[in-house]
Amino acid sequence: MPGLENFTFNSKTQVVKVDFDEDVEVSDDATAALYVWLDPQNAPTGTDVTDPDFSDSTKWQLKADYDSSAITPYTETIKDSDIAVSAESGTPYYQLQGGVWYGLSLNGIVDKCGNPAGEINIVGLAFDHAPAPEF
């Protein structure tokens, strides 16, 4: 099964990028859901980061959901193993903001052989840095 290698929440580009340790594809029924951490005074810790329960409405609030049209592979690296979730596609109703903790739940990611990755939940802090333009 594909494993999570890295991820970024970029508030300037409104894109969440997720890197995997092997090549992956997006199935036709893939979905993503974006959540915001409800305690701005304290960062999430422990299982709120490693195994978040996004159904806990005292900690997380659903801010956007996306269908497979918003989840696309991107090829900025040598490996063809990265997924980008565009926060301006699908059915968004919230913009990423720098300095805010977000959670992302991904479903429908498969490896090149069609093995599903299952539900992938990640938590991270959005940042305001936009990548330098390509020349």
Side-chain angles (χ1 to χ4, degrees):
M1 291 188 351
L4 184 64
E5 197 167 79
N6 189 29
F7 57 87
T8 58
F9 290 77
N10 189 322
S11 65
K12 293 294 186 194
T13 62
Q14 290 296 303
V15 172
V16 180
K17 291 183 177 177
V18 183
D19 302 331
F20 291 91
D21 60 2
E22 64 178 280
D23 292 346
V24 295
E25 295 178 349
V26 180
S27 67
D28 291 339
D29 60 350
T31 60
L34 181 70
Y35 297 85
V36 68
W37 179 248
L38 292 176
D39 184 0
Q41 304 302 318
N42 299 294
T45 59
T47 58
D48 290 324
V49 174
T50 59
D51 188 21
D53 178 6
F54 294 131
S55 67
D56 185 345
S57 61
T58 65
K59 295 181 178 182
W60 297 100
Q61 184 178 27
L62 177 65
K63 289 296 183 178
D65 49 18
Y66 309 98
D67 60 22
S68 60
S69 67
I71 309 167
T72 57
Y74 71 95
T75 56
E76 293 177 4
T77 61
I78 295 172
K79 296 186 304 180
D80 180 25
S81 62
D82 304 321
I83 298 297
V85 179
S86 173
E88 293 181 344
S89 300
T91 56
Y93 39 91
Y94 189 78
Q95 294 283 312
L96 291 171
Q97 298 174 12
V100 175
W101 285 92
Y102 292 96
L104 183 73
S105 181
L106 271 174
N107 280 293
I109 306 300
V110 297
D111 68 11
K112 293 292 184 176
C113 296
N115 298 312
E119 183 176 350
I120 300 165
N121 294 321
I122 58 175
V123 172
L125 186 66
F127 65 94
D128 287 328
H129 170 70
E134 294 182 21
F135 295 100

